[in-house]
Amino acid sequence: MSVRTPAERSLGRSRLVHILVSGPSMVPTLKHGDHILVRRTGRISPGDVVVGSFPTRPDLLVVKRAVRRVGDGWWLSSDNEAVADDSRRYGPAEVYGRVVLRCWPPRRVGIVSRTDLPGVE
């Protein structure tokens, strides 16, 4: 049985998890106050928006963009390049699931996909 981090425990055991986005690191894809649904899965691809934690910050659940697999973890990046609280600062992260839907506020409801990456059409 593996030891779960405080961040992973905060997700519970449900397959779909509701999370409130806090902070500007994923603007414009996700904004402070957006509500998202996360699907707990091992199927992550580069470009996916994911939820995870950094080994040096095991209590903090983060929402970032998966860039590439690095050893046993993922290199994660913020969509907002002005915010550096991602793998540039903390190194590879453990990923717990993929963001699949922005479910609140109503005007922003929609599927979150790799094409949400700034500069990708």
Side-chain angles (χ1 to χ4, degrees):
M1 183 170 140
S2 65
V3 176
R4 295 173 56 196
T5 66
E8 184 179 12
R9 282 195 306 270
S10 73
L11 292 173
R13 296 196 181 267
S14 183
R15 188 163 170 88
L16 280 176
V17 181
H18 169 262
I19 293 177
L20 173 63
V21 175
S22 176
S25 72
M26 288 303 291
V27 169
T29 305
L30 298 172
K31 296 181 180 178
H32 179 82
D34 281 352
H35 292 247
I36 56 176
L37 283 180
V38 175
R39 183 175 187 186
R40 293 183 51 106
T41 178
R43 293 180 153 187
I44 304 297
S45 298
D48 286 344
V49 178
V50 299
V51 171
S53 69
F54 297 104
T56 56
R57 306 280 315 270
D59 57 324
L60 180 65
L61 194 61
V62 297
V63 179
K64 303 291 179 196
R65 181 135 347 238
V67 176
R68 66 182 176 280
R69 202 152 212 358
V70 180
D72 293 330
W74 280 88
W75 191 264
L76 303 182
S77 178
S78 302
D79 280 1
N80 180 351
E81 292 186 14
V83 178
D85 66 341
D86 54 23
S87 290
R88 292 173 287 173
R89 175 176 285 173
Y90 301 114
E94 184 173 350
V95 170
Y96 309 124
R98 180 173 50 88
V99 176
V100 293
L101 182 70
R102 208 175 17 249
C103 55
W104 190 264
R107 70 184 181 286
R108 291 184 45 76
V109 169
I111 294 172
V112 177
S113 69
R114 283 183 220 102
T115 59
D116 289 330
L117 184 62
V120 174
E121 307 259 338

